[in-house]
Amino acid sequence: MLEHTELFFKSIFIDNMVFATFLGMCSYLAVSKKVSTAVGLGAAVIFVLAVTVPLNWLLDQYLLRDGALSWLGPEYADYNLSFLSFILFIATIATMVQLVEIVVEKFSPALYNSLGIFLPLIAVNCAILGGSLFMQAREIPSLGLAFNYGLSSGIGWFLAILAIAAIREKIRYSNVPPPLRGLGITFIITGLMAIGFMSFGGMLTGGDEAAPVPEETAVQEKTEEEKMNLEEDAEQNVVSYNAIEKE
Amino acid sequence: MAILSKKDSKLILDPLADNNPITIQVLGICSALAITAELKASIVMALSVLFVLGLGNVVISLMRNIIPSKIRIIVQLVVVATLVIIVDQVLKAFAYELSKTLAVFVGLIITNCIIMGRFEAFALGNGVWRSFLDGIGNAAGYGVILIIVGFFRELLGSGTLLGFPVLGNPIEKTGLYAIGYENNGFMLLSPMALIVVGILIWVQRSRNPALIEEN
């Protein structure tokens, strides 16, 4: 339970997709002019991430990673298909996005119209593929945690786009230097927000301090093994020495 | 350029300045900014995108008449993913350390909006040679921004360029450090990439007022 809570808050605040890793910046910048559209896109991202990350976790676990095919039988245990992960992940994502598009078009035509071109482009939103690739890179251990990771990263992205949309609605009334208007000021505001989000970095240091303990025990075990090996070697040496003496 | 007609050279030169994919079209920011803390990583990323976008545009342009428009996004994704897998495997084989630095961001070239954007906007409606030039031009425009940002971040952040110390040695206090200069470690953190790009946009638009947006 603790690791779930930790991952949840970590993905929302510390490893926020927009502020820490710049994922999904294109749609973040393009669709953040109005709060209502931003909310729609944010919700779609949460949904797609929460579905695709666990799906891709299953793919990674049972198809792609080194030795993942061993459930088929021992002769498949040596296969490592991880070079295929980009293409399989993006295929899963494209399919899921198509599904979301159909559902949104059916149930909320207003939202469908306002999202316009960006709904199909969720498929090429870096945040979605990035979620799956980070899930693979960080070796998230269970399906539940993978779901948690997808959901919370989506929520983090949602928060970011909501905040910037609200700021951009207000900034229209301020006197921004003309060359900075629009894109420029949005970049700088995002940078400042990212600096703000960095202050969450100290939130979970307790977990990091606890982490090195298993490494130490591993080291001790190793040394014990080495001792055993050394003793064995010594015994063998003695035996061979005795054998030489006998000769 | 005698080989290229005026129209063709415009395809290459336009994205370098007045129609830059990053600062004007707002494409391809996603995977760009996170890896610009070092100049070397920026250059490798720029070259990878040059390869993927140049070849991808050619492939899509060759297939433009046989791709059914309903499934074109999936077809485009497959083409990009294949090219990116090639880049990834080559990097892993010949520059393993660098591929560790770039980590997932090589994979994220697939979803780099600049690639899908150029496929949709150009390669689907133009001939092979022009699409190739457009791809090269846009990737170069993207690369230029990446290299500028990487240059300033590495120079101001760690006082090196491509790993070579250019401002002197901070520990032995030689060069600029002798007169009290300090590295600005803040430049290495991710928020500064955004602010550096913001300033680039500011500079570019003050020089060319036609690009200024309405509020």
Side-chain angles (χ1 to χ4, degrees):
Chain A
M1 195 58 223
L2 186 67
E3 56 184 350
H4 274 275
T5 334
E6 191 182 324
L7 183 69
F8 188 76
F9 285 107
K10 201 173 166 203
S11 327
I12 294 184
F13 293 112
I14 301 175
D15 293 334
N16 186 293
M17 287 233 151
V18 172
F19 298 132
T21 47
F22 303 111
L23 296 180
M25 285 298 284
C26 303
S27 23
Y28 168 86
L29 290 169
V31 194
S32 58
K33 282 187 183 126
K34 272 171 64 189
V35 171
S36 51
T37 0
V39 169
L41 186 72
V45 166
I46 294 182
F47 179 75
V48 175
L49 264 176
V51 174
T52 54
V53 173
L55 267 180
N56 283 336
W57 185 85
L58 287 175
L59 273 181
D60 184 43
Q61 206 71 15
Y62 295 108
L63 202 61
L64 295 173
R65 66 168 49 188
D66 200 6
L69 285 172
S70 53
W71 55 272
L72 275 176
E75 67 268 34
Y76 294 98
D78 291 340
Y79 284 80
N80 181 359
L81 297 180
S82 53
F83 67 94
L84 285 177
S85 47
F86 293 157
I87 208 162
L88 272 182
F89 284 180
I90 200 73
T92 319
I93 289 165
T95 322
M96 281 315 300
V97 167
Q98 205 79 44
L99 206 67
V100 174
E101 197 185 342
I102 293 169
V103 170
V104 171
E105 192 178 7
K106 173 94 177 135
F107 292 105
S108 172
L111 181 61
Y112 183 78
N113 288 334
S114 64
L115 288 182
I117 188 175
F118 289 103
L119 205 50
L121 285 187
I122 281 190
V124 289
N125 187 328
C126 335
I128 312 285
L129 182 64
S132 290
L133 289 177
F134 271 122
M135 175 273 296
Q136 193 189 30
R138 288 177 191 166
E139 293 174 352
I140 289 193
S142 73
L143 185 61
L145 279 174
F147 172 73
N148 183 339
Y149 180 69
L151 184 72
S152 47
S153 312
I155 295 176
W157 200 87
F158 177 84
L159 266 184
I161 196 170
L162 188 64
I164 194 76
I167 293 176
R168 284 181 83 173
E169 275 196 357
K170 295 288 176 225
I171 213 166
R172 225 169 285 155
Y173 306 109
S174 24
N175 191 12
V176 180
L180 268 181
R181 271 181 203 155
L183 191 59
I185 196 72
T186 315
F187 265 101
I188 291 180
I189 292 172
T190 311
L192 295 177
M193 282 159 79
I195 294 172
F197 264 67
M198 278 171 61
S199 59
F200 288 113
M203 202 166 70
L204 291 175
T205 43
D208 292 343
E209 281 164 19
V213 175
E215 282 176 22
E216 281 174 15
T217 53
V219 169
Q220 281 171 359
E221 280 171 16
K222 222 181 206 174
T223 50
E224 276 172 16
E225 271 182 20
E226 280 173 6
K227 274 180 201 164
M228 298 272 286
N229 287 340
L230 283 178
E231 281 169 12
E232 279 176 16
D233 286 352
E235 280 172 14
Q236 281 175 356
N237 284 343
V238 171
V239 169
S240 53
Y241 190 64
N242 288 344
I244 291 167
E245 267 195 348
K246 273 177 192 170
E247 280 175 18
Chain B
M1 283 186 208
I3 337 157
L4 301 173
S5 67
K6 210 172 181 186
K7 228 167 139 193
D8 285 349
S9 61
K10 201 168 154 10
L11 280 178
I12 287 202
L13 296 179
D14 246 18
L16 287 177
D18 287 348
N19 197 16
N20 190 285
I22 291 189
T23 59
I24 310 295
Q25 303 176 40
V26 209
L27 294 173
I29 298 151
C30 325
S31 57
L33 298 180
I35 46 93
T36 47
E38 286 172 41
L39 187 55
K40 199 172 169 191
S42 316
I43 292 175
V44 170
M45 190 70 177
L47 289 179
S48 313
V49 170
L50 192 75
F51 171 79
V52 173
L53 189 53
L55 269 187
N57 252 0
V58 168
V59 173
I60 292 291
S61 169
L62 280 173
M63 298 199 299
R64 68 184 187 280
N65 294 325
I66 52 170
I67 302 176
S69 71
K70 277 198 173 163
I71 59 159
R72 65 179 194 282
I73 290 196
I74 302 212
V75 175
Q76 289 164 2
L77 283 176
V78 172
V79 171
V80 191
T82 316
L83 291 169
V84 170
I85 288 175
I86 295 174
V87 170
D88 187 46
Q89 298 289 318
V90 169
L91 277 184
K92 272 189 185 143
F94 294 105
Y96 188 72
E97 288 303 311
L98 208 59
S99 80
K100 281 281 164 220
T101 325
L102 292 174
V104 300
F105 291 98
V106 177
L108 286 173
I109 296 177
I110 299 176
T111 50
N112 196 326
C113 329
I114 190 177
I115 290 177
M116 299 300 282
R118 289 333 289 175
F119 284 3
E120 284 281 303
F122 202 91
L124 277 176
N126 286 283
V128 176
W129 175 238
R130 283 170 56 84
S131 301
F132 177 69
L133 292 180
D134 180 76
I136 297 288
N138 275 283
Y142 166 91
V144 164
I145 298 289
L146 233 67
I147 289 170
I148 294 176
V149 177
F151 176 82
F152 282 111
R153 283 182 74 191
E154 189 175 347
L155 183 68
L156 300 177
S158 38
T160 57
L161 282 179
L162 292 173
F164 298 108
V166 287
L167 298 181
N169 189 327
I171 300 161
E172 293 165 12
K173 300 279 178 210
T174 55
L176 261 186
Y177 297 98
I179 53 170
Y181 176 81
E182 289 285 339
N183 283 329
N184 181 1
F186 206 53
M187 291 299 284
L188 296 176
L189 299 175
S190 48
M192 285 316 286
L194 285 164
I195 292 178
V196 171
V197 175
I199 292 171
L200 275 183
I201 293 174
W202 192 359
V203 171
Q204 189 186 13
R205 292 189 185 182
S206 344
R207 287 167 58 94
N208 186 353
L211 299 173
I212 291 174
E213 286 177 55
E214 287 300 309
N215 238 349

Coordinates of all heavy atoms in Angstrom, one line a residue, chain B residues 96-175:
Chain B
Y96 N 27.1 3.3 -27.0 CA 26.3 2.8 -25.9 C 26.1 3.8 -24.8 O 24.9 4.0 -24.3 CB 26.9 1.5 -25.4 CG 26.0 0.8 -24.4 CD1 24.8 0.1 -24.8 CD2 26.2 0.8 -23.0 CE1 24.0 -0.5 -24.0 CE2 25.4 0.1 -22.1 CZ 24.2 -0.5 -22.6 OH 23.4 -1.1 -21.8
E97 N 27.1 4.4 -24.4 CA 27.1 5.4 -23.3 C 26.0 6.5 -23.6 O 25.2 6.9 -22.8 CB 28.4 6.1 -23.1 CG 29.4 5.2 -22.4 CD 28.9 4.6 -21.1 OE1 28.5 5.5 -20.3 OE2 29.0 3.4 -20.8
L98 N 26.1 7.0 -24.9 CA 25.2 8.1 -25.3 C 23.8 7.6 -25.3 O 22.9 8.3 -24.9 CB 25.7 8.5 -26.7 CG 25.4 10.0 -27.0 CD1 26.0 10.9 -25.9 CD2 25.9 10.3 -28.3
S99 N 23.6 6.3 -25.7 CA 22.2 5.8 -25.8 C 21.7 5.7 -24.4 O 20.4 5.8 -24.2 CB 22.1 4.5 -26.6 OG 22.5 3.4 -25.8
K100 N 22.5 5.5 -23.4 CA 22.0 5.5 -22.0 C 21.6 6.9 -21.6 O 20.6 7.1 -20.9 CB 23.2 5.0 -21.1 CG 23.3 3.5 -21.1 CD 22.2 2.8 -20.2 CE 22.2 1.4 -20.5 NZ 20.8 0.8 -20.6
T101 N 22.4 7.9 -22.0 CA 22.0 9.3 -21.7 C 20.7 9.7 -22.3 O 19.8 10.3 -21.7 CB 23.1 10.3 -22.2 OG1 24.3 9.7 -22.1 CG2 23.0 11.6 -21.4
L102 N 20.5 9.3 -23.6 CA 19.3 9.6 -24.3 C 18.1 8.8 -23.8 O 17.0 9.3 -23.9 CB 19.5 9.5 -25.8 CG 20.5 10.4 -26.4 CD1 20.7 10.1 -27.9 CD2 19.9 11.9 -26.3
A103 N 18.4 7.6 -23.3 CA 17.4 6.7 -22.7 C 16.1 6.7 -23.5 O 16.2 6.4 -24.7 CB 17.1 7.1 -21.3
V104 N 15.0 6.9 -22.9 CA 13.7 6.8 -23.6 C 13.5 7.8 -24.7 O 12.6 7.7 -25.5 CB 12.5 6.8 -22.7 CG1 12.6 5.7 -21.7 CG2 12.4 8.1 -22.0
F105 N 14.3 8.8 -24.7 CA 14.0 9.9 -25.7 C 14.3 9.6 -27.1 O 13.8 10.2 -28.0 CB 14.8 11.2 -25.2 CG 14.2 11.7 -24.0 CD1 14.8 11.5 -22.7 CD2 13.0 12.5 -24.0 CE1 14.3 11.9 -21.6 CE2 12.5 12.9 -22.8 CZ 13.1 12.7 -21.6
V106 N 15.1 8.5 -27.3 CA 15.2 8.1 -28.7 C 13.9 7.5 -29.2 O 13.4 7.8 -30.2 CB 16.3 7.0 -28.8 CG1 16.4 6.5 -30.2 CG2 17.7 7.6 -28.5
G107 N 13.3 6.7 -28.3 CA 12.0 6.1 -28.6 C 11.0 7.1 -28.8 O 10.1 7.0 -29.6
L108 N 11.1 8.2 -28.1 CA 10.1 9.3 -28.2 C 10.2 10.1 -29.5 O 9.3 10.9 -29.8 CB 10.2 10.2 -27.0 CG 9.6 9.6 -25.7 CD1 9.9 10.5 -24.5 CD2 8.2 9.3 -25.9
I109 N 11.2 9.8 -30.3 CA 11.2 10.4 -31.7 C 10.0 10.0 -32.4 O 9.4 10.7 -33.2 CB 12.5 10.0 -32.5 CG1 13.7 10.5 -31.8 CG2 12.5 10.6 -33.9 CD1 15.0 10.1 -32.5
I110 N 9.5 8.8 -32.1 CA 8.3 8.3 -32.8 C 7.2 9.3 -32.7 O 6.4 9.6 -33.6 CB 7.8 6.9 -32.2 CG1 8.9 5.9 -32.4 CG2 6.5 6.5 -32.9 CD1 8.6 4.6 -31.8
T111 N 7.0 9.8 -31.4 CA 5.9 10.6 -31.2 C 6.3 12.1 -31.3 O 5.5 13.0 -30.8 CB 5.3 10.4 -29.8 OG1 6.3 10.4 -28.9 CG2 4.5 9.1 -29.8
N112 N 7.4 12.4 -31.8 CA 7.8 13.7 -32.0 C 6.9 14.4 -33.0 O 6.8 13.9 -34.1 CB 9.3 13.8 -32.6 CG 9.9 15.1 -32.4 OD1 9.2 16.1 -32.5 ND2 11.2 15.1 -32.2
C113 N 6.2 15.4 -32.6 CA 5.1 16.0 -33.4 C 5.6 16.4 -34.7 O 4.9 16.5 -35.7 CB 4.4 17.1 -32.7 SG 4.4 17.0 -31.0
I114 N 6.9 16.8 -34.8 CA 7.4 17.4 -36.0 C 7.4 16.4 -37.1 O 7.1 16.7 -38.3 CB 8.9 17.9 -35.7 CG1 9.4 18.7 -36.9 CG2 9.8 16.8 -35.5 CD1 10.8 19.2 -36.6
I115 N 7.6 15.1 -36.8 CA 7.6 14.1 -37.8 C 6.2 13.8 -38.3 O 6.0 13.9 -39.6 CB 8.2 12.8 -37.2 CG1 9.7 13.1 -37.0 CG2 8.0 11.6 -38.1 CD1 10.5 12.0 -36.4
M116 N 5.2 13.6 -37.4 CA 3.9 13.4 -37.9 C 3.4 14.7 -38.6 O 2.7 14.6 -39.6 CB 2.9 13.1 -36.7 CG 3.3 11.8 -36.0 SD 3.2 10.4 -37.1 CE 1.5 10.2 -37.2
G117 N 3.8 15.8 -38.1 CA 3.3 17.1 -38.6 C 3.8 17.2 -40.1 O 3.0 17.6 -41.0
R118 N 5.0 16.9 -40.4 CA 5.5 17.0 -41.7 C 4.9 16.0 -42.6 O 4.7 16.2 -43.8 CB 7.1 17.0 -41.8 CG 7.8 18.1 -41.2 CD 7.1 19.4 -41.3 NE 7.0 20.0 -42.6 CZ 6.3 21.1 -42.9 NH1 5.7 21.7 -42.0 NH2 6.3 21.5 -44.1
F119 N 4.7 14.8 -42.1 CA 4.1 13.7 -42.9 C 2.7 14.2 -43.4 O 2.4 14.2 -44.6 CB 3.9 12.4 -42.1 CG 5.2 11.6 -41.9 CD1 6.4 12.1 -42.4 CD2 5.1 10.4 -41.3 CE1 7.5 11.3 -42.2 CE2 6.3 9.7 -41.1 CZ 7.5 10.1 -41.6
E120 N 2.0 14.7 -42.4 CA 0.6 15.1 -42.7 C 0.6 16.3 -43.6 O -0.2 16.4 -44.6 CB -0.1 15.5 -41.4 CG -0.6 14.3 -40.5 CD -1.8 13.7 -41.0 OE1 -2.8 14.5 -41.1 OE2 -1.8 12.5 -41.3
A121 N 1.4 17.3 -43.3 CA 1.3 18.6 -44.0 C 2.0 18.6 -45.3 O 1.7 19.3 -46.2 CB 1.8 19.7 -43.1
F122 N 3.0 17.7 -45.5 CA 3.8 17.9 -46.7 C 3.9 16.6 -47.5 O 3.5 16.5 -48.7 CB 5.2 18.4 -46.4 CG 5.9 19.1 -47.6 CD1 5.7 20.4 -47.8 CD2 6.6 18.3 -48.5 CE1 6.3 21.0 -48.9 CE2 7.2 18.9 -49.6 CZ 7.0 20.2 -49.8
A123 N 4.4 15.5 -46.8 CA 4.8 14.3 -47.6 C 3.6 13.7 -48.3 O 3.7 13.1 -49.3 CB 5.5 13.3 -46.7
L124 N 2.4 13.8 -47.6 CA 1.2 13.2 -48.2 C 0.8 13.9 -49.5 O 0.0 13.3 -50.2 CB 0.1 13.2 -47.2 CG 0.1 12.0 -46.2 CD1 -1.0 12.2 -45.2 CD2 0.0 10.7 -46.9
G125 N 1.2 15.1 -49.7 CA 0.7 15.8 -50.9 C 1.8 16.2 -51.9 O 1.5 16.9 -52.8
N126 N 3.0 15.8 -51.7 CA 4.1 16.3 -52.6 C 5.0 15.1 -53.1 O 5.0 14.0 -52.5 CB 5.0 17.3 -51.9 CG 4.2 18.6 -51.7 OD1 4.1 19.4 -52.7 ND2 3.7 18.8 -50.6
G127 N 5.8 15.4 -54.1 CA 6.6 14.4 -54.7 C 7.8 14.0 -53.8 O 8.1 14.7 -52.8
V128 N 8.5 13.0 -54.3 CA 9.6 12.4 -53.4 C 10.7 13.4 -53.1 O 11.1 13.6 -52.0 CB 10.1 11.2 -54.1 CG1 11.3 10.6 -53.3 CG2 9.0 10.1 -54.2
W129 N 11.3 14.0 -54.2 CA 12.4 14.9 -54.0 C 12.1 16.1 -53.1 O 12.8 16.4 -52.2 CB 12.9 15.3 -55.4 CG 14.0 16.3 -55.4 CD1 14.0 17.6 -56.0 CD2 15.3 16.2 -54.8 NE1 15.2 18.2 -55.8 CE2 16.1 17.4 -55.1 CE3 15.9 15.2 -54.1 CZ2 17.4 17.5 -54.6 CZ3 17.3 15.4 -53.6 CH2 18.0 16.5 -53.9
R130 N 10.9 16.7 -53.4 CA 10.5 17.9 -52.6 C 10.3 17.5 -51.1 O 10.6 18.2 -50.2 CB 9.3 18.5 -53.2 CG 9.6 19.4 -54.4 CD 8.3 19.8 -55.1 NE 7.4 20.6 -54.2 CZ 7.5 21.9 -54.0 NH1 8.5 22.6 -54.5 NH2 6.7 22.5 -53.1
S131 N 9.7 16.3 -50.9 CA 9.4 15.8 -49.6 C 10.7 15.6 -48.8 O 10.9 15.9 -47.7 CB 8.6 14.5 -49.6 OG 7.4 14.7 -50.2
F132 N 11.7 15.0 -49.6 CA 13.0 14.8 -49.0 C 13.6 16.1 -48.5 O 14.1 16.3 -47.4 CB 13.9 14.1 -50.0 CG 15.3 13.9 -49.5 CD1 15.6 12.9 -48.5 CD2 16.4 14.6 -50.0 CE1 16.8 12.7 -48.0 CE2 17.7 14.3 -49.5 CZ 17.9 13.4 -48.5
L133 N 13.6 17.1 -49.4 CA 14.2 18.4 -49.1 C 13.4 19.0 -47.9 O 14.0 19.6 -46.9 CB 14.1 19.4 -50.3 CG 15.0 19.0 -51.4 CD1 14.8 20.0 -52.5 CD2 16.4 19.0 -51.0
D134 N 12.1 18.9 -47.9 CA 11.3 19.4 -46.8 C 11.7 18.8 -45.4 O 11.9 19.4 -44.4 CB 9.8 19.2 -47.1 CG 8.9 19.8 -46.0 OD1 8.8 21.0 -45.9 OD2 8.5 18.9 -45.1
G135 N 11.9 17.4 -45.5 CA 12.2 16.7 -44.3 C 13.6 17.2 -43.8 O 13.8 17.4 -42.6
I136 N 14.6 17.3 -44.7 CA 15.9 17.7 -44.3 C 15.9 19.1 -43.7 O 16.4 19.4 -42.7 CB 16.9 17.7 -45.5 CG1 17.0 16.2 -46.1 CG2 18.2 18.2 -45.2 CD1 17.8 15.3 -45.2
G137 N 15.1 20.0 -44.4 CA 15.0 21.4 -43.9 C 14.4 21.5 -42.6 O 15.0 22.1 -41.7
N138 N 13.3 20.8 -42.3 CA 12.7 20.9 -41.0 C 13.5 20.3 -39.9 O 13.6 20.8 -38.8 CB 11.3 20.3 -41.1 CG 10.3 21.2 -41.6 OD1 9.8 22.1 -40.9 ND2 9.9 21.1 -42.8
A139 N 14.1 19.1 -40.3 CA 15.0 18.5 -39.2 C 16.1 19.4 -38.9 O 16.6 19.5 -37.8 CB 15.4 17.1 -39.7
A140 N 16.7 20.1 -39.9 CA 17.8 21.0 -39.7 C 17.3 22.1 -38.8 O 18.0 22.5 -37.9 CB 18.4 21.5 -41.0
G141 N 16.1 22.7 -39.1 CA 15.6 23.8 -38.3 C 15.5 23.3 -36.8 O 15.8 24.1 -35.9
Y142 N 15.0 22.1 -36.6 CA 14.9 21.5 -35.3 C 16.2 21.4 -34.7 O 16.4 21.8 -33.5 CB 14.1 20.2 -35.5 CG 14.1 19.3 -34.3 CD1 13.1 19.3 -33.3 CD2 15.1 18.3 -34.1 CE1 13.1 18.4 -32.3 CE2 15.1 17.4 -33.1 CZ 14.1 17.5 -32.2 OH 14.1 16.6 -31.1
G143 N 17.2 20.9 -35.5 CA 18.5 20.6 -34.9 C 19.2 21.9 -34.5 O 19.9 21.9 -33.5
V144 N 19.0 23.0 -35.3 CA 19.7 24.2 -35.0 C 19.3 24.7 -33.6 O 20.1 25.1 -32.8 CB 19.3 25.3 -36.1 CG1 19.7 26.7 -35.6 CG2 20.1 25.0 -37.3
I145 N 17.9 24.7 -33.4 CA 17.5 25.1 -32.0 C 18.1 24.2 -31.0 O 18.5 24.7 -29.9 CB 15.9 25.1 -32.0 CG1 15.3 26.0 -33.0 CG2 15.5 25.5 -30.6 CD1 15.5 27.5 -32.7
L146 N 18.0 22.9 -31.2 CA 18.6 22.0 -30.2 C 20.0 22.3 -29.9 O 20.4 22.3 -28.7 CB 18.4 20.6 -30.7 CG 17.7 19.6 -29.8 CD1 16.3 20.0 -29.8 CD2 17.8 18.2 -30.4
I147 N 20.8 22.6 -31.0 CA 22.2 22.8 -30.8 C 22.5 24.1 -30.1 O 23.3 24.2 -29.2 CB 23.0 22.7 -32.1 CG1 23.0 21.2 -32.5 CG2 24.4 23.2 -32.0 CD1 23.4 20.9 -33.9
I148 N 21.7 25.1 -30.4 CA 21.8 26.4 -29.7 C 21.5 26.3 -28.2 O 22.3 26.7 -27.4 CB 20.9 27.5 -30.3 CG1 21.3 27.8 -31.8 CG2 21.0 28.8 -29.5 CD1 20.4 28.8 -32.5
V149 N 20.4 25.6 -27.9 CA 20.0 25.5 -26.5 C 21.1 24.6 -25.8 O 21.5 25.0 -24.7 CB 18.6 24.8 -26.4 CG1 18.3 24.6 -25.0 CG2 17.6 25.7 -27.0
G150 N 21.5 23.5 -26.5 CA 22.5 22.7 -25.8 C 23.8 23.4 -25.6 O 24.5 23.2 -24.6
F151 N 24.2 24.2 -26.6 CA 25.4 25.0 -26.5 C 25.4 25.9 -25.2 O 26.3 25.8 -24.4 CB 25.6 25.9 -27.7 CG 26.8 26.8 -27.7 CD1 28.0 26.3 -28.1 CD2 26.6 28.1 -27.4 CE1 29.1 27.2 -28.1 CE2 27.7 29.0 -27.4 CZ 29.0 28.5 -27.7
F152 N 24.3 26.7 -25.1 CA 24.3 27.6 -23.9 C 24.2 26.9 -22.6 O 24.8 27.3 -21.6 CB 23.1 28.6 -24.1 CG 23.5 29.7 -25.1 CD1 22.9 29.8 -26.3 CD2 24.5 30.6 -24.8 CE1 23.2 30.8 -27.2 CE2 24.8 31.6 -25.7 CZ 24.2 31.7 -26.9
R153 N 23.4 25.8 -22.6 CA 23.2 25.1 -21.3 C 24.5 24.4 -20.9 O 24.8 24.5 -19.7 CB 22.1 24.1 -21.4 CG 20.7 24.7 -21.4 CD 19.6 23.7 -21.4 NE 19.5 23.0 -20.2 CZ 18.7 21.9 -20.0 NH1 18.1 21.4 -21.0 NH2 18.6 21.3 -18.8
E154 N 25.2 23.8 -21.8 CA 26.4 23.2 -21.4 C 27.5 24.2 -21.0 O 28.2 24.0 -20.0 CB 27.0 22.2 -22.5 CG 28.1 21.4 -21.9 CD 28.6 20.3 -22.9 OE1 27.9 20.0 -23.9 OE2 29.6 19.7 -22.6
L155 N 27.6 25.3 -21.8 CA 28.6 26.3 -21.6 C 28.4 27.0 -20.2 O 29.3 27.1 -19.4 CB 28.6 27.3 -22.7 CG 29.7 28.4 -22.6 CD1 31.0 27.8 -22.9 CD2 29.4 29.5 -23.6
L156 N 27.2 27.4 -20.0 CA 26.9 28.2 -18.8 C 26.7 27.2 -17.6 O 27.0 27.6 -16.4 CB 25.7 29.0 -18.9 CG 25.7 30.1 -20.0 CD1 24.4 30.8 -20.1 CD2 26.9 31.0 -19.7
G157 N 26.3 26.0 -17.8 CA 26.0 25.1 -16.7 C 27.2 24.4 -16.2 O 27.4 24.3 -15.0
S158 N 28.0 23.8 -17.1 CA 29.2 23.1 -16.6 C 30.5 23.6 -17.1 O 31.5 23.1 -16.9 CB 29.0 21.6 -16.9 OG 28.4 21.4 -18.1
G159 N 30.5 24.7 -17.9 CA 31.7 25.3 -18.4 C 32.5 24.5 -19.4 O 33.6 24.7 -19.6
T160 N 31.8 23.5 -20.0 CA 32.4 22.7 -21.0 C 31.7 22.8 -22.3 O 30.5 23.2 -22.4 CB 32.5 21.2 -20.6 OG1 31.2 20.8 -20.4 CG2 33.3 21.1 -19.3
L161 N 32.3 22.3 -23.4 CA 31.6 22.1 -24.7 C 32.0 20.8 -25.2 O 33.2 20.5 -25.3 CB 32.0 23.2 -25.7 CG 31.3 24.6 -25.5 CD1 31.8 25.6 -26.5 CD2 29.8 24.5 -25.6
L162 N 31.1 19.9 -25.5 CA 31.3 18.6 -26.0 C 32.2 17.8 -25.0 O 33.0 16.9 -25.3 CB 32.0 18.5 -27.3 CG 31.1 19.0 -28.5 CD1 32.0 19.1 -29.8 CD2 30.0 18.0 -28.7
G163 N 32.2 18.2 -23.7 CA 33.0 17.6 -22.7 C 34.3 18.2 -22.4 O 35.0 17.9 -21.5
F164 N 34.8 19.1 -23.3 CA 36.1 19.8 -23.1 C 35.9 21.1 -22.3 O 35.0 21.9 -22.7 CB 36.7 20.1 -24.5 CG 37.0 18.9 -25.3 CD1 36.3 18.7 -26.5 CD2 38.0 18.1 -25.0 CE1 36.5 17.6 -27.2 CE2 38.3 17.0 -25.8 CZ 37.5 16.7 -26.9
P165 N 36.7 21.3 -21.3 CA 36.6 22.5 -20.5 C 37.1 23.7 -21.4 O 38.2 23.7 -21.9 CB 37.5 22.3 -19.3 CG 38.4 21.2 -19.7 CD 37.7 20.3 -20.8
V166 N 36.2 24.7 -21.6 CA 36.6 25.8 -22.4 C 36.8 27.1 -21.5 O 37.4 28.0 -22.0 CB 35.6 26.1 -23.5 CG1 35.7 25.1 -24.6 CG2 34.2 26.2 -22.9
L167 N 36.3 27.0 -20.3 CA 36.4 28.3 -19.5 C 37.4 28.1 -18.4 O 37.5 28.9 -17.5 CB 35.0 28.6 -18.8 CG 33.9 28.9 -19.8 CD1 32.6 29.2 -19.0 CD2 34.2 30.0 -20.7
G168 N 38.3 27.1 -18.5 CA 39.2 26.9 -17.4 C 38.8 25.8 -16.5 O 37.8 25.1 -16.7
N169 N 39.6 25.6 -15.5 CA 39.3 24.5 -14.6 C 38.7 25.0 -13.3 O 39.4 25.8 -12.5 CB 40.6 23.7 -14.3 CG 40.4 22.5 -13.5 OD1 39.5 22.4 -12.7 ND2 41.2 21.5 -13.8
P170 N 37.5 24.6 -12.9 CA 36.9 25.2 -11.7 C 37.5 24.8 -10.4 O 37.4 25.5 -9.4 CB 35.4 24.7 -11.8 CG 35.5 23.5 -12.7 CD 36.6 23.7 -13.6
I171 N 38.2 23.7 -10.4 CA 38.8 23.2 -9.1 C 40.2 23.9 -8.9 O 40.5 24.4 -7.9 CB 39.0 21.7 -9.1 CG1 37.6 21.1 -9.3 CG2 39.7 21.2 -7.8 CD1 37.6 19.6 -9.7
E172 N 41.0 24.0 -10.0 CA 42.3 24.6 -9.9 C 42.2 26.1 -10.1 O 43.3 26.8 -10.0 CB 43.3 24.0 -10.9 CG 43.6 22.6 -10.6 CD 44.3 21.9 -11.8 OE1 44.7 22.6 -12.7 OE2 44.4 20.6 -11.8
K173 N 41.0 26.6 -10.3 CA 40.8 28.1 -10.5 C 41.7 28.7 -11.6 O 42.5 29.6 -11.4 CB 41.1 28.8 -9.1 CG 40.2 28.4 -8.0 CD 38.9 29.1 -8.0 CE 38.0 28.6 -6.9 NZ 36.6 28.6 -7.3
T174 N 41.6 28.1 -12.8 CA 42.3 28.7 -13.9 C 41.3 29.3 -14.8 O 40.1 29.1 -14.6 CB 43.1 27.6 -14.7 OG1 42.2 26.6 -15.1 CG2 44.2 27.0 -13.8
G175 N 41.8 30.0 -15.8 CA 40.9 30.7 -16.8 C 40.0 31.7 -16.2 O 40.4 32.4 -15.3

